[in-house]
Each structure stands twice: as C-alpha cells, then as structure tokens.
Amino acid sequence: MKIKPDYDLVIIGGGPAGLTAGIYAMRAKLNCILIEKKIPGGLALITDWVENYPGFPEGISGADLTDKFIEQAKRFGLKIENEAAEAIWLDDGLKKIKTDQRLITAASVIITAGTSPKKLGIEGETLFYGKGVSTCATCDGFFYRDKIVAAIGGGDSAVQESLFLTKFVKKVWLIHRRDSLRAAKILQERAFKNDKIEILWDCIPKKISGRNAVEELTIQNVKTEEIKDLSIDGCFIFAGTNPNTGFLGDLVKTDENGFVYTDNNMGTSVKGLFCAGDARKTPLRQIVTATGDAAIAVAGAEKYIENFYEK
Ligand code: NAP
C-alpha cells in the first residue's frame, strides 16, 4: 500500500506565485502547506510601488499588495511556515523535502522560490555590502537623503528603483552597459524627465572603493575605453536575478542559469513537481504572470494528486 504523505501539496516560496498557489490549493481543499525561508512577499514586498497589477488603478505599494495576498491566503486557511527548503528528492513515489527544521513528505510540490539579485563580481562589491552597496532601494534608500548614489543596470528594477531613490537623494548616476535601456518605456520616459537622474551610457562598473564605506565607483566606457572615478555615497546594484533553485540539485531540467523548464501546465521534468513564477524559465517576470502561473500549477497539481491517491 502506498505510504500516505504528510501533505497533498507543499509550496516552496512565499512570493506572489506561492501565495496565489496557496489560495488556489486551499480552495481546492488540498492538505497543503507553504514554506518560506524569509518573510512572505518575495521581490514584490520590496517593490516601492506596483502599478501594473490589475485592480489597483492608482497603483499599490508592494508591501500592501503582499499583505492583501497573505490575508486572502489565510482567509482560506493556508498554513505558512517559516522554514527553508534545503533539498528535495523522490522516494517511494513521494516527494521528500528536507528543510532546515524537518523532513516533509508530499504527493506533489510547487516550486515558487523566486529569484535573488545577481552579483556583479567586481572588487569592493562584497566588502562594502551593507556599507554603501545595496540591492534594495526600498530597504536602504532612506539612508541616502541628499547624497549621491549610483544605480547599476538598465532593466525595470534599475530604472524603477532609481526613480524611487530620487525621493531621497541629490543625484542618481544610472550606469548602463549599453546605449538603450531594457526597462518598460513608461519607466524610461520618467527617468529621462527626472532631473536627478543622469544616465551614463555604455559604461560598466569596474571597482567600488572607499575607506570604511563606499566613496568611489570606477567605471569604464566600453566604446571609448575611458576610465572614470565617480564620487558616490552608495551603490545600488540591479544587474538581474538568479533563480533560488539550488536546493533542487539535478532533480529537474533547468537552463544553464538554473531557471526551471516547465510545460504548459507548469509541470517540470519530474511528474508531480511544478514550478511557477520568477524561478521558471519564462519570457516575462511580473507579479501578474507569477500569479497566473500559480493558478495553472495548482490545477496541474490537483489532477496529479487525484491520480496519486487513486492508483
Ligand atoms: P533584468 O531585466 O535582467 O535587467 C538587468 C539589467 O542589468 C540589464 O539592463 C543588464 O544589461 C544589466 N546587467 C546585467 N549584468 C550586468 C553586469 N555584469 N554589469 C552591468 N550591467 C549588467 O533584471 P531586473 O531589472 O532585476 O528585472 C528582473 C525581472 O523582474 C524582469 O523580468 C523585469 O521585467 C521584472 N521586474 C518588473 C518590474 C515592473 O514590472 N515594474 C519591476 C522590477 C522587475 P543588458 O540590458 O545589457 O542585458
């Protein structure tokens, strides 16, 4: 006889995808738990203002939106536990998840572990992390009132967070390695119009230096090869993201960066193991796509779980 798992479904990660999966799973009356290693919310939680999630015509802060997701999930009885998944494997037809606290067995698992900021790998980046180097403007921007900061990157995060930083700082040097931004056009327009943002095109960061805290950023123009030192008080790095999928080991198929391949039902290469949101190999990483992925993943998991118990 098949061993009964602790849960029908374990959701790993508590950002918008995980919380949405929780809402759908509870409404499907699955015996489900969500585990989250930090506090729920993911990158949405540290997003100053979300204005592309439907239903909020004036926009909503990432923190308030997260609160609403959590409230809604809890209304349907979702249990959210503060623990980190460290490994996952298959055993006796079950999924086994080792967390930092216990071993959990599940019929099905949805990975909604999201992403973490990528490092640049330049001198001074690690040394000054927390002493002027940051990857979160909403967390640290306040400390740079009337200061000069650099923001590295040309994506949505770099431009949106640079705009947020202008609420506090005297100036943002936006350092981008190409001559056009990849951020949404509406964000680009706002940045171009903002007097506090100066974009240094075709420039790459080379070194962050200072005595006890960040004082200088060395950049190089990739076209002219000219090297320049900028006097700054803080350096915000928005150079993209890495998926939080290391705990999966070689269990599922991923791309070379660890983003998980899924089919149309959000199923991975392992039956009964699904992935939704930013950790998935996907053409668009937004809150709205994460929540949509999650609904599809739960529908897939529900079918899998039905078969699991029938067999
Ligand atoms: P991203 O879109 O991957 O952009 C990363 C940026 O960093 C790119 O401009 C890239 O340059 C640059 N970069 C990468 N490595 C670098 C290096 N070593 N040195 C210098 N520059 C480097 O990452 P993101 O902006 O964090 O966004 C992640 C995902 O979240 C995206 O899908 C984004 O759309 C989404 N997001 C959406 C919103 C929103 O909807 N408002 C807000 C935030 C994030 P290249 O352009 O040359 O590649």
Side-chain angles (χ1 to χ4, degrees):
M1 200 184 109
K2 193 173 274 176
I3 303 163
K4 191 174 167 2
D6 300 328
Y7 295 97
D8 297 334
L9 177 66
V10 174
I11 300 164
I12 301 178
L19 292 166
T20 305
I23 293 167
Y24 275 75
M26 295 314 292
R27 287 173 58 83
K29 297 287 170 195
L30 297 176
N31 170 23
C32 166
I33 190 174
L34 184 155
I35 63 171
E36 162 59 51
K37 68 176 173 184
K38 295 183 186 158
I39 48 172
L43 288 186
L45 180 65
I46 56 162
T47 300
D48 166 47
W49 201 246
V50 178
E51 51 182 21
N52 54 3
Y53 191 73
F56 301 94
E58 308 300 326
I60 181 167
S61 78
D64 286 347
L65 185 59
T66 299
D67 281 348
K68 286 185 185 295
F69 282 143
I70 295 172
E71 191 188 327
Q72 196 170 350
K74 288 201 168 161
R75 195 184 129 217
F76 292 111
L78 179 67
K79 269 187 280 173
I80 302 175
E81 297 292 348
N82 182 214
E83 54 191 305
E86 292 182 338
I88 174 165
W89 66 96
L90 310 176
D91 190 13
D92 248 351
L94 299 180
K95 316 280 183 284
K96 290 197 171 168
I97 303 138
K98 182 186 170 297
T99 76
D100 53 355
Q101 293 168 37
R102 58 180 166 152
L103 184 71
I104 308 175
T105 56
S108 183
V109 173
I110 302 180
I111 309 295
T112 48
T115 57
S116 297
K118 218 191 247 175
K119 287 199 162 171
L120 292 168
I122 60 169
E123 196 181 325
E125 183 183 21
T126 306
L127 183 67
F128 291 111
Y129 194 82
K131 293 179 194 157
V133 171
S134 171
T135 54
C136 177
T138 41
C139 318
D140 300 326
F142 179 78
F143 300 112
Y144 295 90
R145 197 169 283 282
D146 298 324
K147 307 270 190 204
I148 298 174
V149 298
I152 318 284
D156 284 330
S157 298
V159 179
Q160 185 168 355
E161 302 302 296
S162 291
L163 287 161
F164 172 73
L165 285 167
T166 61
K167 290 185 186 175
F168 310 100
V169 303
K170 191 154 72 185
K171 183 183 182 84
V172 180
W173 292 107
L174 181 55
I175 319 284
H176 184 41
R177 64 184 177 184
R178 293 186 293 119
D179 59 6
S180 64
L181 299 168
R182 71 165 64 224
K185 291 284 185 294
I186 189 165
L187 295 174
Q188 295 193 27
E189 267 176 29
R190 288 176 194 166
F192 296 151
K193 278 192 206 146
N194 193 310
D195 292 340
K196 285 189 177 178
I197 298 178
E198 186 166 341
I199 306 179
L200 293 175
W201 301 104
D202 302 310
C203 285
I204 51 164
K206 299 290 281 185
K207 186 168 91 172
I208 300 167
S209 46
R211 278 158 292 181
N212 299 319
V214 169
E215 291 175 14
E216 250 177 22
L217 173 70
T218 306
I219 55 169
Q220 181 170 36
N221 185 302
V222 290
K223 288 187 177 157
T224 64
E225 295 192 352
E226 187 197 349
I227 290 189
K228 203 164 151 180
D229 291 328
L230 297 176
S231 275
I232 54 164
D233 302 291
C235 184
F236 288 83
I237 298 168
F238 306 110
T241 54
N242 286 321
N244 299 322
T245 52
F247 70 93
L248 291 171
D250 296 330
L251 185 62
V252 296
K253 283 200 181 115
T254 67
D255 75 357
E256 67 283 7
N257 298 312
F259 288 101
V260 178
Y261 286 117
T262 54
D263 59 23
N264 289 343
N265 299 314
M266 306 300 142
T268 69
S269 54
V270 169
K271 282 205 172 79
L273 189 64
F274 299 81
C275 183
D278 285 4
R280 185 170 92 80
K281 178 82 177 164
T282 170
L284 193 62
R285 294 192 171 84
Q286 305 276 309
I287 300 173
V288 74
T289 52
T291 56
D293 283 0
I296 296 171
V298 174
E302 214 183 329
K303 276 201 192 97
Y304 177 84
I305 292 162
E306 264 170 38
N307 280 331
F308 176 89
Y309 288 112
E310 272 169 16
K311 270 186 196 162

XYZ file of all heavy atoms in Angstrom, residues 43 47 49-53 115-122 152-161 175-184 186-187 203-205 237-241 278 282-287 289, ligand 1:
455
model
N 10.110 39.407 -4.035
C 10.572 40.705 -4.546
C 9.463 41.752 -4.521
O 9.731 42.947 -4.426
C 11.123 40.570 -5.976
C 12.476 39.866 -6.116
C 12.967 39.943 -7.557
C 13.519 40.480 -5.186
N 9.220 46.056 -3.424
C 8.961 46.958 -4.549
C 8.162 48.139 -4.011
O 7.117 47.960 -3.392
C 8.168 46.230 -5.659
O 8.958 45.138 -6.099
C 7.873 47.145 -6.835
N 6.402 50.655 -5.449
C 5.073 50.936 -5.974
C 4.784 50.028 -7.156
O 5.575 49.960 -8.091
C 5.000 52.411 -6.400
C 3.609 52.943 -6.487
C 2.982 53.349 -7.621
C 2.694 53.140 -5.417
N 1.717 53.775 -7.312
C 1.511 53.667 -5.958
C 2.748 52.905 -4.043
C 0.398 53.967 -5.180
C 1.640 53.209 -3.268
C 0.484 53.743 -3.839
N 3.663 49.323 -7.107
C 3.277 48.414 -8.199
C 2.122 49.062 -8.936
O 1.073 49.318 -8.337
C 2.839 47.044 -7.626
C 2.385 46.113 -8.736
C 3.963 46.421 -6.814
N 2.313 49.342 -10.228
C 1.204 49.994 -10.928
C 0.792 49.231 -12.180
O 0.043 49.747 -12.987
C 1.535 51.463 -11.234
C 2.846 51.680 -11.924
C 3.153 53.143 -12.169
O 2.592 54.019 -11.494
O 3.977 53.391 -13.075
N 1.284 47.976 -12.302
C 0.868 47.185 -13.464
C 0.166 45.893 -13.044
O 0.068 44.955 -13.818
C 2.060 46.878 -14.389
C 3.215 46.227 -13.658
O 3.126 45.941 -12.470
N 4.312 46.000 -14.362
N -0.312 45.862 -11.790
C -1.104 44.712 -11.355
C -2.569 45.138 -11.381
O -2.953 46.074 -10.667
C -0.682 44.261 -9.950
C -1.279 42.927 -9.577
C -0.816 41.760 -10.157
C -2.328 42.850 -8.671
C -1.377 40.535 -9.847
C -2.893 41.623 -8.347
C -2.417 40.472 -8.944
O -2.981 39.262 -8.638
N 13.597 34.540 -7.208
C 14.975 34.845 -7.601
C 15.640 35.742 -6.556
O 14.967 36.331 -5.716
C 14.999 35.609 -8.948
O 14.215 36.797 -8.802
C 14.468 34.777 -10.086
N 16.959 35.826 -6.664
C 17.733 36.744 -5.805
C 18.599 37.614 -6.708
O 18.978 37.192 -7.809
C 18.654 35.964 -4.882
O 17.903 35.173 -4.025
N 18.962 38.821 -6.217
C 19.775 39.703 -7.061
C 21.114 39.071 -7.436
O 21.751 38.415 -6.611
C 19.994 40.929 -6.160
C 18.933 40.863 -5.130
C 18.596 39.411 -4.938
N 21.500 39.317 -8.672
C 22.770 38.804 -9.191
C 23.911 39.712 -8.727
O 23.708 40.920 -8.627
C 22.689 38.886 -10.722
C 23.309 37.753 -11.460
C 23.370 38.120 -12.909
C 22.470 37.258 -13.762
N 22.449 37.690 -15.166
N 25.056 39.122 -8.496
C 26.218 39.952 -8.141
C 26.973 40.345 -9.399
O 26.945 39.637 -10.399
C 27.145 39.159 -7.221
C 26.566 39.006 -5.825
C 27.648 38.653 -4.844
C 27.156 38.949 -3.436
N 28.039 38.446 -2.418
N 27.669 41.481 -9.320
C 28.466 41.917 -10.457
C 29.812 41.195 -10.496
O 30.395 41.019 -11.561
C 28.749 43.420 -10.346
C 27.571 44.368 -10.504
C 27.976 45.769 -10.072
C 27.098 44.374 -11.951
N 30.300 40.838 -9.314
C 31.607 40.179 -9.231
C 32.765 41.151 -9.353
O 33.859 40.759 -9.781
N 32.548 42.410 -8.994
C 33.658 43.373 -9.090
C 34.265 43.626 -7.708
O 33.636 43.355 -6.676
C 33.219 44.725 -9.720
C 32.114 45.383 -8.876
C 32.800 44.538 -11.156
C 31.832 46.820 -9.275
N 23.240 50.522 -10.871
C 23.814 49.768 -11.994
C 22.725 48.928 -12.641
O 22.038 48.157 -11.949
C 24.925 48.800 -11.509
C 25.842 49.431 -10.461
C 25.671 48.188 -12.685
C 26.841 50.390 -10.950
N 22.604 49.023 -13.977
C 21.647 48.190 -14.701
C 20.746 49.045 -15.582
O 20.679 50.267 -15.420
N 20.038 48.385 -16.484
C 19.152 49.108 -17.391
C 17.787 48.472 -17.502
O 16.997 48.798 -18.382
N 17.477 47.555 -16.582
C 16.190 46.866 -16.610
C 15.134 47.598 -15.789
O 15.362 48.710 -15.293
N 13.979 46.956 -15.621
C 12.877 47.551 -14.849
C 13.323 47.909 -13.437
O 12.984 48.975 -12.919
C 11.705 46.563 -14.751
C 10.917 46.493 -16.053
O 10.859 47.499 -16.763
O 10.369 45.415 -16.346
N 14.070 47.000 -12.802
C 14.473 47.264 -11.411
C 15.354 48.498 -11.341
O 15.115 49.386 -10.512
C 15.244 46.080 -10.821
O 14.442 44.946 -10.797
N 16.386 48.569 -12.192
C 17.325 49.693 -12.129
C 16.596 51.017 -12.325
O 16.823 51.990 -11.583
C 18.418 49.526 -13.192
N 15.699 51.073 -13.291
C 15.049 52.349 -13.608
C 13.975 52.676 -12.570
O 13.924 53.799 -12.044
C 14.479 52.321 -15.046
C 13.779 53.624 -15.361
C 15.597 52.060 -16.044
N 13.162 51.681 -12.223
C 12.112 51.934 -11.226
C 12.725 52.322 -9.875
O 12.276 53.257 -9.214
C 11.258 50.675 -11.063
C 10.077 50.914 -10.149
C 9.049 49.780 -10.207
O 9.161 48.857 -10.993
N 8.055 49.870 -9.370
N 13.763 51.617 -9.485
C 14.368 51.895 -8.176
C 15.146 53.207 -8.199
O 15.211 53.911 -7.196
C 15.266 50.731 -7.735
C 14.551 49.392 -7.645
C 13.360 49.385 -6.701
O 13.564 49.569 -5.507
O 12.220 49.228 -7.181
N 24.055 53.809 -14.305
C 25.164 53.286 -15.126
C 24.653 52.098 -15.931
O 24.273 51.065 -15.351
C 26.326 52.772 -14.219
C 26.580 53.695 -13.021
C 27.567 52.455 -15.029
C 27.291 54.944 -13.311
N 24.668 52.231 -17.237
C 24.174 51.117 -18.065
C 25.206 50.736 -19.120
O 25.843 51.592 -19.717
C 22.845 51.501 -18.718
C 22.243 50.383 -19.502
N 22.250 49.070 -19.053
C 21.615 50.361 -20.710
C 21.658 48.310 -19.952
N 21.270 49.064 -20.960
N 25.342 49.437 -19.325
C 26.426 48.955 -20.189
C 26.155 49.098 -21.686
O 27.049 48.853 -22.495
C 26.751 47.503 -19.854
C 25.631 46.514 -20.120
C 26.045 45.133 -19.659
N 24.977 44.160 -19.838
C 25.072 42.908 -19.449
N 26.160 42.469 -18.869
N 24.064 42.070 -19.642
N 24.914 49.465 -22.040
C 24.602 49.640 -23.467
C 24.107 51.058 -23.709
O 24.097 51.886 -22.801
C 23.529 48.639 -23.894
C 23.999 47.211 -23.869
C 22.969 46.256 -24.433
N 21.777 46.135 -23.625
C 20.555 46.449 -24.024
N 20.357 46.923 -25.239
N 19.514 46.296 -23.222
N 23.628 51.310 -24.977
C 23.153 52.672 -25.267
C 21.625 52.744 -25.323
O 21.056 53.714 -25.826
C 23.780 53.217 -26.554
C 23.468 52.345 -27.758
O 22.678 51.385 -27.606
O 24.019 52.599 -28.839
N 20.948 51.699 -24.841
C 19.491 51.774 -24.695
C 19.083 50.911 -23.504
O 19.741 49.896 -23.207
C 18.787 51.304 -25.969
O 19.070 49.947 -26.186
N 18.011 51.351 -22.844
C 17.552 50.641 -21.651
C 16.622 49.500 -22.047
O 15.976 49.570 -23.097
C 16.793 51.610 -20.735
C 17.587 52.809 -20.217
C 16.654 53.831 -19.571
C 18.646 52.360 -19.215
N 16.532 48.483 -21.187
C 15.558 47.418 -21.460
C 14.289 47.587 -20.613
O 13.341 46.826 -20.746
C 16.171 46.033 -21.265
C 16.463 45.638 -19.847
C 16.725 44.143 -19.722
N 17.904 43.715 -20.432
C 17.960 42.630 -21.185
N 16.896 41.869 -21.331
N 19.081 42.293 -21.788
N 14.280 48.580 -19.737
C 13.122 48.813 -18.860
C 11.884 49.185 -19.683
O 11.995 49.644 -20.832
C 13.446 49.932 -17.887
N 10.706 49.043 -19.075
C 9.444 49.422 -19.731
C 9.525 50.883 -20.170
O 10.093 51.723 -19.462
C 8.291 49.239 -18.743
N 7.474 53.322 -20.240
C 6.902 54.339 -19.347
C 7.912 54.710 -18.241
O 8.014 55.867 -17.848
C 5.539 53.873 -18.766
C 4.858 55.016 -18.017
C 5.659 52.660 -17.874
C 3.388 54.766 -17.720
N 8.675 53.723 -17.792
C 9.695 53.986 -16.772
C 10.850 54.779 -17.384
O 11.382 55.717 -16.782
C 10.217 52.673 -16.179
C 9.218 51.822 -15.394
C 9.834 50.484 -14.984
C 8.723 52.564 -14.151
N 28.582 52.160 -20.141
C 29.590 52.106 -19.080
C 29.415 50.865 -18.212
O 28.289 50.499 -17.866
C 29.489 53.336 -18.179
S 30.162 54.793 -18.979
N 30.549 50.267 -17.871
C 30.481 49.116 -16.951
C 31.191 49.469 -15.642
O 32.186 50.203 -15.650
C 31.099 47.833 -17.559
C 32.498 48.115 -18.113
C 30.215 47.225 -18.618
C 33.303 46.864 -18.380
N 30.659 48.944 -14.532
C 31.334 49.183 -13.260
C 32.576 48.306 -13.160
O 32.550 47.145 -13.571
C 30.278 48.768 -12.235
C 29.412 47.807 -12.944
C 29.470 48.100 -14.397
N 22.851 47.926 -6.845
C 23.117 47.011 -7.966
C 21.822 46.305 -8.396
O 21.173 45.633 -7.583
C 24.203 45.987 -7.558
C 25.491 46.753 -7.250
C 24.437 44.957 -8.662
C 26.556 45.946 -6.562
N 21.471 46.520 -9.655
C 20.251 45.909 -10.220
C 20.620 45.219 -11.540
O 20.125 45.566 -12.600
C 19.184 46.978 -10.475
C 18.863 47.809 -9.257
C 19.241 49.146 -9.195
C 18.196 47.255 -8.177
C 18.958 49.916 -8.078
C 17.904 48.020 -7.053
C 18.284 49.354 -6.999
N 21.541 44.267 -11.437
C 22.089 43.637 -12.642
C 21.387 42.332 -12.985
O 21.987 41.446 -13.585
C 23.581 43.421 -12.448
N 20.123 42.209 -12.609
C 19.378 40.998 -12.936
C 19.315 40.050 -11.740
O 19.714 40.400 -10.630
N 18.794 38.871 -12.012
C 18.499 37.956 -10.903
C 18.934 36.522 -11.222
O 19.039 36.136 -12.391
C 16.977 37.931 -10.632
O 16.302 37.631 -11.844
C 16.478 39.255 -10.086
N 8.881 33.558 -10.926
C 10.165 34.015 -11.462
C 11.233 32.935 -11.584
O 12.171 33.086 -12.372
C 10.720 35.160 -10.590
C 9.988 36.473 -10.822
O 9.014 36.478 -11.596
O 10.393 37.492 -10.231
N 10.858 31.643 -18.260
C 9.658 32.315 -18.774
C 10.053 33.607 -19.483
O 11.050 34.230 -19.103
C 8.679 32.622 -17.603
O 7.620 33.466 -18.056
C 9.364 33.319 -16.435
N 9.281 34.011 -20.490
C 9.653 35.238 -21.202
C 9.329 36.515 -20.430
O 9.781 37.598 -20.801
C 8.830 35.170 -22.493
C 7.711 34.253 -22.200
C 8.165 33.305 -21.127
N 8.520 36.420 -19.378
C 8.120 37.642 -18.658
C 8.041 37.364 -17.167
O 7.405 36.395 -16.755
C 6.751 38.108 -19.184
C 6.306 39.513 -18.796
C 7.249 40.580 -19.336
C 4.886 39.786 -19.275
N 8.699 38.208 -16.381
C 8.666 38.031 -14.919
C 7.989 39.238 -14.285
O 8.604 40.274 -14.077
C 10.084 37.840 -14.358
C 10.702 36.568 -14.816
C 11.969 36.153 -14.096
N 12.302 34.811 -14.528
C 12.990 34.539 -15.635
N 13.459 35.507 -16.378
N 13.209 33.288 -15.985
N 6.699 39.086 -14.028
C 5.895 40.144 -13.437
C 5.033 39.497 -12.351
O 4.855 38.279 -12.353
C 4.957 40.750 -14.499
C 5.658 41.257 -15.740
C 6.192 42.664 -15.581
O 5.472 43.544 -15.173
N 7.455 42.863 -15.893
N 4.430 40.324 -11.502
C 3.558 39.753 -10.466
C 2.366 39.071 -11.146
O 1.949 37.976 -10.770
C 3.093 40.847 -9.477
C 4.322 41.469 -8.805
C 2.144 40.263 -8.432
C 4.030 42.683 -7.935
N 2.166 37.655 -14.058
C 2.479 36.357 -14.682
C 2.735 35.301 -13.604
O 2.366 34.139 -13.765
C 3.687 36.448 -15.641
O 4.785 37.051 -14.952
C 3.379 37.248 -16.879
P 16.885 42.407 -15.887
O 15.653 42.731 -16.602
O 17.565 41.105 -16.161
O 17.924 43.588 -16.122
C 19.237 43.531 -15.638
C 19.997 44.719 -16.151
O 21.323 44.674 -15.637
C 20.104 44.743 -17.682
O 19.917 46.044 -18.153
C 21.525 44.251 -17.927
O 22.091 44.832 -19.074
C 22.256 44.743 -16.708
N 23.386 43.878 -16.335
C 23.403 42.545 -16.220
N 24.621 42.099 -15.841
C 25.398 43.213 -15.741
C 26.754 43.411 -15.430
N 27.558 42.402 -15.109
N 27.238 44.686 -15.440
C 26.423 45.713 -15.758
N 25.116 45.589 -16.066
C 24.613 44.342 -16.055
O 16.683 42.426 -14.268
P 15.695 43.275 -13.355
O 15.599 44.676 -13.817
O 16.115 43.000 -11.956
O 14.295 42.591 -13.579
C 14.121 41.178 -13.317
C 12.736 40.766 -13.792
O 11.747 41.381 -12.953
C 12.454 41.265 -15.210
O 11.700 40.295 -15.862
C 11.641 42.524 -15.001
O 10.773 42.827 -16.065
C 10.889 42.203 -13.716
N 10.577 43.438 -12.991
C 9.443 44.106 -13.344
C 9.131 45.303 -12.732
C 7.893 46.037 -13.154
O 7.063 45.481 -13.853
N 7.711 47.290 -12.795
C 9.970 45.839 -11.755
C 11.119 45.146 -11.432
C 11.429 43.955 -12.069
P 21.552 44.454 -20.563
O 20.282 45.251 -20.726
O 22.651 44.897 -21.442
O 21.356 42.980 -20.566
